[in-house]
Amino acid sequence: MQRSYIKHEVHNGDLNPRIQSEDEDSLVLLKQIRNYLSWAPALRRKLVGSYLKEDEIIEDYSDDSSRLLSQARVSKFNESEYHIPIENGIDCFKKVCELMDAKNDAYYPIELRIIKQDDAWLSPFYKRDAMSVAIHANNTENYKYLLSDFGPIFKSFGGRPHWGKLNNFTKEEFAKAYPMWDNFLEIRKKCDPNGKLLNPYLKKIFT
Protein backbone atom coordinates (compact mmCIF):
# COMPACT_ATOMS: atom_id res chain seq x y z
CA MET A 1 0.00 0.00 0.00
CA GLN A 2 1.45 3.34 -1.06
CA ARG A 3 0.97 6.30 1.25
CA SER A 4 1.09 9.94 0.34
CA TYR A 5 2.17 12.64 2.79
CA ILE A 6 1.38 16.33 2.96
CA LYS A 7 4.41 18.52 3.54
CA HIS A 8 3.89 21.10 6.29
CA GLU A 9 6.03 24.19 6.52
CA VAL A 10 6.24 26.92 9.16
CA HIS A 11 4.64 30.14 7.92
CA ASN A 12 7.09 33.05 8.08
CA GLY A 13 4.87 35.82 6.68
CA ASP A 14 2.35 38.13 8.27
CA LEU A 15 -0.43 36.57 10.31
CA ASN A 16 -3.01 38.91 8.77
CA PRO A 17 -4.71 39.60 12.11
CA ARG A 18 -8.13 41.16 12.49
CA ILE A 19 -8.49 44.89 12.93
CA GLN A 20 -5.80 46.08 15.34
CA SER A 21 -7.33 46.52 18.77
CA GLU A 22 -6.56 49.26 21.25
CA ASP A 23 -5.47 46.71 23.86
CA GLU A 24 -1.76 47.20 23.30
CA ASP A 25 -1.86 50.98 23.73
CA SER A 26 -3.90 50.56 26.90
CA LEU A 27 -1.42 48.04 28.32
CA VAL A 28 1.52 50.36 27.69
CA LEU A 29 -0.29 53.18 29.49
CA LEU A 30 -1.32 50.97 32.42
CA LYS A 31 2.24 49.75 32.83
CA GLN A 32 3.57 53.31 32.83
CA ILE A 33 1.06 54.32 35.50
CA ARG A 34 2.08 51.27 37.55
CA ASN A 35 5.77 52.08 37.22
CA TYR A 36 5.41 55.69 38.34
CA LEU A 37 2.61 55.35 40.89
CA SER A 38 3.03 51.91 42.48
CA TRP A 39 3.44 53.72 45.81
CA ALA A 40 0.01 55.39 45.54
CA PRO A 41 -2.74 52.83 44.71
CA ALA A 42 -5.57 55.33 45.31
CA LEU A 43 -4.03 57.82 42.91
CA ARG A 44 -3.49 55.06 40.35
CA ARG A 45 -7.16 54.10 40.48
CA LYS A 46 -8.24 57.71 40.09
CA LEU A 47 -5.96 58.26 37.11
CA VAL A 48 -7.02 55.04 35.38
CA GLY A 49 -10.66 55.87 36.09
CA SER A 50 -10.29 59.23 34.40
CA TYR A 51 -8.77 57.53 31.34
CA LEU A 52 -11.49 54.91 30.94
CA LYS A 53 -14.87 56.06 29.69
CA GLU A 54 -17.87 54.68 31.52
CA ASP A 55 -19.80 52.03 29.58
CA GLU A 56 -17.39 52.31 26.66
CA ILE A 57 -17.30 49.35 24.27
CA ILE A 58 -13.73 49.24 23.02
CA GLU A 59 -14.24 46.37 20.58
CA ASP A 60 -17.43 45.15 18.91
CA TYR A 61 -16.93 42.82 15.94
CA SER A 62 -19.02 40.40 13.92
CA ASP A 63 -17.29 38.01 11.52
CA ASP A 64 -16.16 34.41 11.02
CA SER A 65 -14.41 32.95 14.08
CA SER A 66 -11.26 32.33 12.03
CA ARG A 67 -10.92 36.09 11.59
CA LEU A 68 -12.14 37.26 14.97
CA LEU A 69 -9.89 34.95 16.96
CA SER A 70 -6.79 35.96 15.01
CA GLN A 71 -5.21 39.02 16.54
CA ALA A 72 -1.82 40.54 17.17
CA ARG A 73 -0.39 39.99 20.66
CA VAL A 74 2.67 42.17 21.00
CA SER A 75 2.92 41.96 24.78
CA LYS A 76 3.66 38.46 26.06
CA PHE A 77 2.13 37.34 29.32
CA ASN A 78 1.33 34.45 31.64
CA GLU A 79 -2.34 33.85 32.32
CA SER A 80 -4.55 31.89 34.68
CA GLU A 81 -8.28 31.57 34.06
CA TYR A 82 -10.95 29.77 36.04
CA HIS A 83 -14.57 29.10 35.19
CA ILE A 84 -16.80 29.77 38.20
CA PRO A 85 -20.40 28.55 38.64
CA ILE A 86 -22.53 31.48 37.50
CA GLU A 87 -24.16 31.88 40.92
CA ASN A 88 -20.72 32.33 42.53
CA GLY A 89 -19.20 34.46 39.78
CA ILE A 90 -19.69 37.98 41.14
CA ASP A 91 -18.60 37.08 44.68
CA CYS A 92 -15.46 35.43 43.29
CA PHE A 93 -14.76 38.41 41.08
CA LYS A 94 -15.01 40.77 44.06
CA LYS A 95 -12.46 38.72 46.02
CA VAL A 96 -10.10 38.66 43.06
CA CYS A 97 -10.41 42.45 42.67
CA GLU A 98 -9.71 43.00 46.37
CA LEU A 99 -6.52 40.98 46.20
CA MET A 100 -5.45 42.48 42.88
CA ASP A 101 -5.87 45.99 44.31
CA ALA A 102 -3.48 45.04 47.11
CA LYS A 103 -0.75 44.08 44.63
CA ASN A 104 1.09 47.23 43.62
CA ASP A 105 3.00 45.45 40.85
CA ALA A 106 -0.11 44.28 38.93
CA TYR A 107 -1.39 46.29 35.97
CA TYR A 108 -3.14 43.91 33.55
CA PRO A 109 -6.94 44.23 33.34
CA ILE A 110 -9.06 41.34 34.62
CA GLU A 111 -11.10 39.65 31.90
CA LEU A 112 -14.64 38.38 32.41
CA ARG A 113 -16.91 36.39 30.14
CA ILE A 114 -20.10 34.35 30.48
CA ILE A 115 -20.41 30.89 28.88
CA LYS A 116 -23.45 28.64 28.64
CA GLN A 117 -23.23 25.07 29.85
CA ASP A 118 -22.55 22.08 27.62
CA ASP A 119 -22.39 18.29 28.01
CA ALA A 120 -18.73 17.55 27.19
CA TRP A 121 -17.26 15.49 30.04
CA LEU A 122 -14.04 17.47 30.43
CA SER A 123 -15.46 20.84 29.53
CA PRO A 124 -15.16 23.45 32.32
CA PHE A 125 -18.79 24.24 31.46
CA TYR A 126 -20.08 20.71 31.89
CA LYS A 127 -23.69 20.91 33.11
CA ARG A 128 -23.34 24.47 34.44
CA ASP A 129 -23.31 28.03 33.19
CA ALA A 130 -20.13 29.81 34.20
CA MET A 131 -18.43 33.15 34.63
CA SER A 132 -14.81 33.01 33.51
CA VAL A 133 -12.29 35.16 35.36
CA ALA A 134 -8.84 35.61 33.78
CA ILE A 135 -5.81 37.25 35.39
CA HIS A 136 -2.44 38.03 33.81
CA ALA A 137 1.16 38.97 34.50
CA ASN A 138 3.80 40.14 32.03
CA ASN A 139 6.11 37.29 31.00
CA THR A 140 9.20 39.18 32.17
CA GLU A 141 7.81 39.66 35.69
CA ASN A 142 6.87 37.42 38.58
CA TYR A 143 3.73 35.43 37.82
CA LYS A 144 3.70 32.67 40.45
CA TYR A 145 1.29 34.66 42.62
CA LEU A 146 -1.36 33.96 39.98
CA LEU A 147 -1.34 30.40 41.33
CA SER A 148 -0.29 30.74 44.96
CA ASP A 149 -2.42 33.76 45.87
CA PHE A 150 -5.38 33.66 43.48
CA GLY A 151 -5.66 29.89 43.00
CA PRO A 152 -7.20 29.33 46.46
CA ILE A 153 -9.83 31.99 45.76
CA PHE A 154 -10.89 30.36 42.51
CA LYS A 155 -10.98 26.93 44.13
CA SER A 156 -13.04 28.16 47.09
CA PHE A 157 -15.79 29.28 44.70
CA GLY A 158 -15.88 25.97 42.82
CA GLY A 159 -13.80 27.09 39.84
CA ARG A 160 -12.63 24.78 37.10
CA PRO A 161 -9.35 25.84 35.43
CA HIS A 162 -8.94 26.68 31.76
CA TRP A 163 -7.20 23.66 30.23
CA GLY A 164 -4.73 25.76 28.24
CA LYS A 165 -3.65 28.18 30.96
CA LEU A 166 -1.76 28.12 34.25
CA ASN A 167 -3.26 26.08 37.06
CA ASN A 168 -2.05 23.90 39.92
CA PHE A 169 -4.99 21.52 40.18
CA THR A 170 -4.09 18.05 41.41
CA LYS A 171 -5.49 14.82 40.01
CA GLU A 172 -7.76 14.58 43.05
CA GLU A 173 -9.06 18.12 42.57
CA PHE A 174 -9.86 17.45 38.92
CA ALA A 175 -11.75 14.32 39.91
CA LYS A 176 -13.80 16.29 42.42
CA ALA A 177 -14.53 19.12 39.96
CA TYR A 178 -15.62 16.93 37.04
CA PRO A 179 -18.52 14.48 37.69
CA MET A 180 -17.60 12.30 34.70
CA TRP A 181 -13.85 12.22 35.43
CA ASP A 182 -13.61 8.50 36.22
CA ASN A 183 -15.75 7.65 33.20
CA PHE A 184 -13.37 9.58 30.97
CA LEU A 185 -10.30 7.92 32.50
CA GLU A 186 -11.78 4.49 31.85
CA ILE A 187 -12.41 5.23 28.18
CA ARG A 188 -9.05 6.95 27.78
CA LYS A 189 -7.24 3.90 29.11
CA LYS A 190 -9.13 1.57 26.76
CA CYS A 191 -8.37 3.75 23.73
CA ASP A 192 -4.73 4.40 24.63
CA PRO A 193 -3.56 1.62 26.98
CA ASN A 194 0.14 2.39 26.46
CA GLY A 195 -0.20 6.13 27.00
CA LYS A 196 1.13 7.16 23.60
CA LEU A 197 -1.08 10.25 23.58
CA LEU A 198 0.02 11.44 27.01
CA ASN A 199 2.61 14.13 27.65
CA PRO A 200 4.33 14.49 31.07
CA TYR A 201 1.61 16.81 32.38
CA LEU A 202 -1.28 14.58 31.32
CA LYS A 203 0.43 11.54 32.79
CA LYS A 204 0.27 13.19 36.20
CA ILE A 205 -3.48 13.72 36.08
CA PHE A 206 -4.76 10.97 33.78
CA THR A 207 -2.88 7.95 35.22
PDB file of all heavy atoms in Angstrom, residues 1 3 13 34 47 65 75 80 105 109 111 124 126 134 140 146 154 156 163 166 178 182 192:
ATOM      1  N   MET A   1       0.840  -1.194   0.000  1.00  0.00           N
ATOM      2  CA  MET A   1       0.000   0.000   0.000  1.00  0.00           C
ATOM      3  C   MET A   1       0.883   1.254   0.000  1.00  0.00           C
ATOM      4  O   MET A   1       1.759   1.407   0.839  1.00  0.00           O
ATOM      5  CB  MET A   1      -0.900   0.016   1.250  1.00  0.00           C
ATOM      6  CG  MET A   1      -1.767   1.246   1.351  1.00  0.00           C
ATOM      7  SD  MET A   1      -2.834   1.176   2.824  1.00  0.00           S
ATOM      8  CE  MET A   1      -3.629   2.780   2.693  1.00  0.00           C
ATOM      9  N   ARG A   3       1.522   5.191   0.493  1.00  0.00           N
ATOM     10  CA  ARG A   3       0.969   6.299   1.252  1.00  0.00           C
ATOM     11  C   ARG A   3       1.502   7.619   0.708  1.00  0.00           C
ATOM     12  O   ARG A   3       2.650   7.711   0.283  1.00  0.00           O
ATOM     13  CB  ARG A   3       1.333   6.184   2.742  1.00  0.00           C
ATOM     14  CG  ARG A   3       0.734   4.963   3.420  1.00  0.00           C
ATOM     15  CD  ARG A   3       1.115   4.948   4.889  1.00  0.00           C
ATOM     16  NE  ARG A   3       0.537   3.810   5.587  1.00  0.00           N
ATOM     17  CZ  ARG A   3       0.710   3.554   6.893  1.00  0.00           C
ATOM     18  NH1 ARG A   3       1.455   4.354   7.614  1.00  0.00           N
ATOM     19  NH2 ARG A   3       0.129   2.507   7.450  1.00  0.00           N
ATOM     20  N   GLY A  13       5.423  34.525   7.087  1.00  0.00           N
ATOM     21  CA  GLY A  13       4.874  35.823   6.685  1.00  0.00           C
ATOM     22  C   GLY A  13       3.998  36.440   7.755  1.00  0.00           C
ATOM     23  O   GLY A  13       3.961  35.995   8.903  1.00  0.00           O
ATOM     24  N   ARG A  34       1.598  52.151  36.492  1.00  0.00           N
ATOM     25  CA  ARG A  34       2.077  51.266  37.552  1.00  0.00           C
ATOM     26  C   ARG A  34       3.502  51.611  37.958  1.00  0.00           C
ATOM     27  O   ARG A  34       3.837  51.705  39.143  1.00  0.00           O
ATOM     28  CB  ARG A  34       1.990  49.813  37.067  1.00  0.00           C
ATOM     29  CG  ARG A  34       2.303  48.717  38.107  1.00  0.00           C
ATOM     30  CD  ARG A  34       3.773  48.460  38.359  1.00  0.00           C
ATOM     31  NE  ARG A  34       4.564  48.198  37.168  1.00  0.00           N
ATOM     32  CZ  ARG A  34       4.807  46.976  36.697  1.00  0.00           C
ATOM     33  NH1 ARG A  34       4.345  45.925  37.310  1.00  0.00           N
ATOM     34  NH2 ARG A  34       5.562  46.833  35.602  1.00  0.00           N
ATOM     35  N   LEU A  47      -6.491  57.929  38.422  1.00  0.00           N
ATOM     36  CA  LEU A  47      -5.955  58.263  37.109  1.00  0.00           C
ATOM     37  C   LEU A  47      -6.478  57.313  36.034  1.00  0.00           C
ATOM     38  O   LEU A  47      -6.873  57.743  34.942  1.00  0.00           O
ATOM     39  CB  LEU A  47      -4.425  58.221  37.153  1.00  0.00           C
ATOM     40  CG  LEU A  47      -3.684  58.771  35.926  1.00  0.00           C
ATOM     41  CD1 LEU A  47      -4.063  60.213  35.676  1.00  0.00           C
ATOM     42  CD2 LEU A  47      -2.173  58.646  36.122  1.00  0.00           C
ATOM     43  N   SER A  65     -15.289  33.162  12.923  1.00  0.00           N
ATOM     44  CA  SER A  65     -14.411  32.954  14.079  1.00  0.00           C
ATOM     45  C   SER A  65     -12.940  32.922  13.682  1.00  0.00           C
ATOM     46  O   SER A  65     -12.068  33.343  14.437  1.00  0.00           O
ATOM     47  CB  SER A  65     -14.787  31.663  14.798  1.00  0.00           C
ATOM     48  OG  SER A  65     -14.646  30.548  13.934  1.00  0.00           O
ATOM     49  N   SER A  75       2.485  42.226  23.407  1.00  0.00           N
ATOM     50  CA  SER A  75       2.916  41.963  24.782  1.00  0.00           C
ATOM     51  C   SER A  75       2.720  40.489  25.115  1.00  0.00           C
ATOM     52  O   SER A  75       1.653  39.929  24.868  1.00  0.00           O
ATOM     53  CB  SER A  75       2.122  42.812  25.774  1.00  0.00           C
ATOM     54  OG  SER A  75       2.407  44.174  25.605  1.00  0.00           O
ATOM     55  N   SER A  80      -3.791  32.925  33.985  1.00  0.00           N
ATOM     56  CA  SER A  80      -4.550  31.888  34.677  1.00  0.00           C
ATOM     57  C   SER A  80      -6.020  32.256  34.584  1.00  0.00           C
ATOM     58  O   SER A  80      -6.386  33.417  34.816  1.00  0.00           O
ATOM     59  CB  SER A  80      -4.115  31.780  36.142  1.00  0.00           C
ATOM     60  OG  SER A  80      -4.807  30.720  36.796  1.00  0.00           O
ATOM     61  N   ASP A 105       2.259  45.723  42.076  1.00  0.00           N
ATOM     62  CA  ASP A 105       2.996  45.446  40.849  1.00  0.00           C
ATOM     63  C   ASP A 105       2.096  44.978  39.707  1.00  0.00           C
ATOM     64  O   ASP A 105       2.554  44.812  38.577  1.00  0.00           O
ATOM     65  CB  ASP A 105       4.082  44.397  41.101  1.00  0.00           C
ATOM     66  CG  ASP A 105       3.507  43.103  41.670  1.00  0.00           C
ATOM     67  OD1 ASP A 105       2.365  43.127  42.169  1.00  0.00           O
ATOM     68  OD2 ASP A 105       4.209  42.084  41.621  1.00  0.00           O
ATOM     69  N   PRO A 109      -5.503  44.274  33.035  1.00  0.00           N
ATOM     70  CA  PRO A 109      -6.939  44.225  33.341  1.00  0.00           C
ATOM     71  C   PRO A 109      -7.385  42.790  33.625  1.00  0.00           C
ATOM     72  O   PRO A 109      -6.749  41.830  33.176  1.00  0.00           O
ATOM     73  CB  PRO A 109      -7.597  44.745  32.052  1.00  0.00           C
ATOM     74  CG  PRO A 109      -6.507  45.458  31.319  1.00  0.00           C
ATOM     75  CD  PRO A 109      -5.243  44.756  31.672  1.00  0.00           C
ATOM     76  N   GLU A 111     -10.136  39.944  32.956  1.00  0.00           N
ATOM     77  CA  GLU A 111     -11.098  39.650  31.896  1.00  0.00           C
ATOM     78  C   GLU A 111     -12.243  38.793  32.433  1.00  0.00           C
ATOM     79  O   GLU A 111     -12.013  37.827  33.169  1.00  0.00           O
ATOM     80  CB  GLU A 111     -10.418  38.922  30.737  1.00  0.00           C
ATOM     81  CG  GLU A 111      -9.383  39.771  30.009  1.00  0.00           C
ATOM     82  CD  GLU A 111      -8.761  39.029  28.848  1.00  0.00           C
ATOM     83  OE1 GLU A 111      -9.203  37.895  28.553  1.00  0.00           O
ATOM     84  OE2 GLU A 111      -7.829  39.566  28.229  1.00  0.00           O
ATOM     85  N   PRO A 124     -14.967  22.694  31.075  1.00  0.00           N
ATOM     86  CA  PRO A 124     -15.160  23.452  32.320  1.00  0.00           C
ATOM     87  C   PRO A 124     -16.606  23.910  32.495  1.00  0.00           C
ATOM     88  O   PRO A 124     -16.994  24.326  33.587  1.00  0.00           O
ATOM     89  CB  PRO A 124     -14.220  24.660  32.151  1.00  0.00           C
ATOM     90  CG  PRO A 124     -13.206  24.220  31.149  1.00  0.00           C
ATOM     91  CD  PRO A 124     -13.950  23.316  30.207  1.00  0.00           C
ATOM     92  N   TYR A 126     -19.236  21.904  31.848  1.00  0.00           N
ATOM     93  CA  TYR A 126     -20.083  20.713  31.886  1.00  0.00           C
ATOM     94  C   TYR A 126     -21.233  20.894  32.872  1.00  0.00           C
ATOM     95  O   TYR A 126     -21.026  21.061  34.073  1.00  0.00           O
ATOM     96  CB  TYR A 126     -19.247  19.492  32.276  1.00  0.00           C
ATOM     97  CG  TYR A 126     -20.052  18.217  32.397  1.00  0.00           C
ATOM     98  CD1 TYR A 126     -20.486  17.546  31.261  1.00  0.00           C
ATOM     99  CD2 TYR A 126     -20.401  17.696  33.641  1.00  0.00           C
ATOM    100  CE1 TYR A 126     -21.240  16.375  31.354  1.00  0.00           C
ATOM    101  CE2 TYR A 126     -21.150  16.531  33.749  1.00  0.00           C
ATOM    102  CZ  TYR A 126     -21.571  15.879  32.593  1.00  0.00           C
ATOM    103  OH  TYR A 126     -22.330  14.731  32.700  1.00  0.00           O
ATOM    104  N   ALA A 134     -10.219  35.801  34.239  1.00  0.00           N
ATOM    105  CA  ALA A 134      -8.838  35.609  33.784  1.00  0.00           C
ATOM    106  C   ALA A 134      -7.945  36.709  34.334  1.00  0.00           C
ATOM    107  O   ALA A 134      -8.294  37.891  34.292  1.00  0.00           O
ATOM    108  CB  ALA A 134      -8.780  35.602  32.260  1.00  0.00           C
ATOM    109  N   THR A 140       7.878  38.834  31.645  1.00  0.00           N
ATOM    110  CA  THR A 140       9.202  39.176  32.171  1.00  0.00           C
ATOM    111  C   THR A 140       9.156  39.441  33.679  1.00  0.00           C
ATOM    112  O   THR A 140      10.194  39.722  34.284  1.00  0.00           O
ATOM    113  CB  THR A 140       9.769  40.426  31.475  1.00  0.00           C
ATOM    114  OG1 THR A 140       8.932  41.554  31.759  1.00  0.00           O
ATOM    115  CG2 THR A 140       9.842  40.214  29.970  1.00  0.00           C
ATOM    116  N   LEU A 146      -0.100  34.285  40.637  1.00  0.00           N
ATOM    117  CA  LEU A 146      -1.359  33.956  39.978  1.00  0.00           C
ATOM    118  C   LEU A 146      -1.896  32.620  40.491  1.00  0.00           C
ATOM    119  O   LEU A 146      -3.112  32.413  40.575  1.00  0.00           O
ATOM    120  CB  LEU A 146      -1.170  33.892  38.460  1.00  0.00           C
ATOM    121  CG  LEU A 146      -0.700  35.160  37.747  1.00  0.00           C
ATOM    122  CD1 LEU A 146      -0.559  34.899  36.253  1.00  0.00           C
ATOM    123  CD2 LEU A 146      -1.634  36.322  38.004  1.00  0.00           C
ATOM    124  N   PHE A 154     -10.126  31.017  43.561  1.00  0.00           N
ATOM    125  CA  PHE A 154     -10.894  30.357  42.509  1.00  0.00           C
ATOM    126  C   PHE A 154     -11.421  28.998  42.971  1.00  0.00           C
ATOM    127  O   PHE A 154     -12.580  28.636  42.706  1.00  0.00           O
ATOM    128  CB  PHE A 154     -10.029  30.175  41.263  1.00  0.00           C
ATOM    129  CG  PHE A 154      -9.688  31.464  40.557  1.00  0.00           C
ATOM    130  CD1 PHE A 154      -8.383  31.759  40.222  1.00  0.00           C
ATOM    131  CD2 PHE A 154     -10.672  32.373  40.229  1.00  0.00           C
ATOM    132  CE1 PHE A 154      -8.057  32.940  39.569  1.00  0.00           C
ATOM    133  CE2 PHE A 154     -10.368  33.560  39.573  1.00  0.00           C
ATOM    134  CZ  PHE A 154      -9.056  33.848  39.245  1.00  0.00           C
ATOM    135  N   SER A 156     -12.041  28.033  46.025  1.00  0.00           N
ATOM    136  CA  SER A 156     -13.042  28.159  47.090  1.00  0.00           C
ATOM    137  C   SER A 156     -14.431  28.454  46.541  1.00  0.00           C
ATOM    138  O   SER A 156     -15.437  28.192  47.209  1.00  0.00           O
ATOM    139  CB  SER A 156     -12.634  29.260  48.074  1.00  0.00           C
ATOM    140  OG  SER A 156     -12.723  30.548  47.482  1.00  0.00           O
ATOM    141  N   TRP A 163      -8.128  24.735  30.523  1.00  0.00           N
ATOM    142  CA  TRP A 163      -7.198  23.661  30.227  1.00  0.00           C
ATOM    143  C   TRP A 163      -5.895  24.156  29.597  1.00  0.00           C
ATOM    144  O   TRP A 163      -4.854  23.510  29.706  1.00  0.00           O
ATOM    145  CB  TRP A 163      -7.848  22.639  29.301  1.00  0.00           C
ATOM    146  CG  TRP A 163      -8.742  21.682  30.026  1.00  0.00           C
ATOM    147  CD1 TRP A 163     -10.104  21.703  30.062  1.00  0.00           C
ATOM    148  CD2 TRP A 163      -8.339  20.574  30.840  1.00  0.00           C
ATOM    149  NE1 TRP A 163     -10.578  20.673  30.850  1.00  0.00           N
ATOM    150  CE2 TRP A 163      -9.513  19.960  31.336  1.00  0.00           C
ATOM    151  CE3 TRP A 163      -7.105  20.036  31.202  1.00  0.00           C
ATOM    152  CZ2 TRP A 163      -9.491  18.845  32.161  1.00  0.00           C
ATOM    153  CZ3 TRP A 163      -7.082  18.919  32.031  1.00  0.00           C
ATOM    154  CH2 TRP A 163      -8.270  18.333  32.492  1.00  0.00           C
ATOM    155  N   LEU A 166      -2.411  28.525  33.005  1.00  0.00           N
ATOM    156  CA  LEU A 166      -1.757  28.125  34.245  1.00  0.00           C
ATOM    157  C   LEU A 166      -2.762  27.679  35.304  1.00  0.00           C
ATOM    158  O   LEU A 166      -3.748  28.360  35.570  1.00  0.00           O
ATOM    159  CB  LEU A 166      -0.937  29.285  34.804  1.00  0.00           C
ATOM    160  CG  LEU A 166       0.276  29.741  33.993  1.00  0.00           C
ATOM    161  CD1 LEU A 166       0.841  31.025  34.592  1.00  0.00           C
ATOM    162  CD2 LEU A 166       1.327  28.649  33.947  1.00  0.00           C
ATOM    163  N   TYR A 178     -14.971  17.452  38.241  1.00  0.00           N
ATOM    164  CA  TYR A 178     -15.617  16.930  37.042  1.00  0.00           C
ATOM    165  C   TYR A 178     -16.377  15.640  37.363  1.00  0.00           C
ATOM    166  O   TYR A 178     -15.756  14.595  37.615  1.00  0.00           O
ATOM    167  CB  TYR A 178     -14.584  16.662  35.951  1.00  0.00           C
ATOM    168  CG  TYR A 178     -13.988  17.925  35.362  1.00  0.00           C
ATOM    169  CD1 TYR A 178     -12.875  18.529  35.948  1.00  0.00           C
ATOM    170  CD2 TYR A 178     -14.554  18.520  34.239  1.00  0.00           C
ATOM    171  CE1 TYR A 178     -12.346  19.704  35.419  1.00  0.00           C
ATOM    172  CE2 TYR A 178     -14.023  19.681  33.706  1.00  0.00           C
ATOM    173  CZ  TYR A 178     -12.918  20.274  34.305  1.00  0.00           C
ATOM    174  OH  TYR A 178     -12.398  21.436  33.789  1.00  0.00           O
ATOM    175  N   ASP A 182     -13.961   9.920  36.221  1.00  0.00           N
ATOM    176  CA  ASP A 182     -13.606   8.501  36.217  1.00  0.00           C
ATOM    177  C   ASP A 182     -14.089   7.813  34.946  1.00  0.00           C
ATOM    178  O   ASP A 182     -13.414   6.913  34.432  1.00  0.00           O
ATOM    179  CB  ASP A 182     -14.192   7.807  37.451  1.00  0.00           C
ATOM    180  CG  ASP A 182     -13.498   8.233  38.736  1.00  0.00           C
ATOM    181  OD1 ASP A 182     -12.345   8.701  38.661  1.00  0.00           O
ATOM    182  OD2 ASP A 182     -14.113   8.102  39.812  1.00  0.00           O
ATOM    183  N   ASP A 192      -6.169   4.156  24.690  1.00  0.00           N
ATOM    184  CA  ASP A 192      -4.727   4.402  24.633  1.00  0.00           C
ATOM    185  C   ASP A 192      -4.055   3.701  25.813  1.00  0.00           C
ATOM    186  O   ASP A 192      -3.521   4.340  26.720  1.00  0.00           O
ATOM    187  CB  ASP A 192      -4.460   5.913  24.664  1.00  0.00           C
ATOM    188  CG  ASP A 192      -2.989   6.261  24.561  1.00  0.00           C
ATOM    189  OD1 ASP A 192      -2.231   5.465  23.979  1.00  0.00           O
ATOM    190  OD2 ASP A 192      -2.595   7.325  25.085  1.00  0.00           O
TER     191      ASP A 192
END
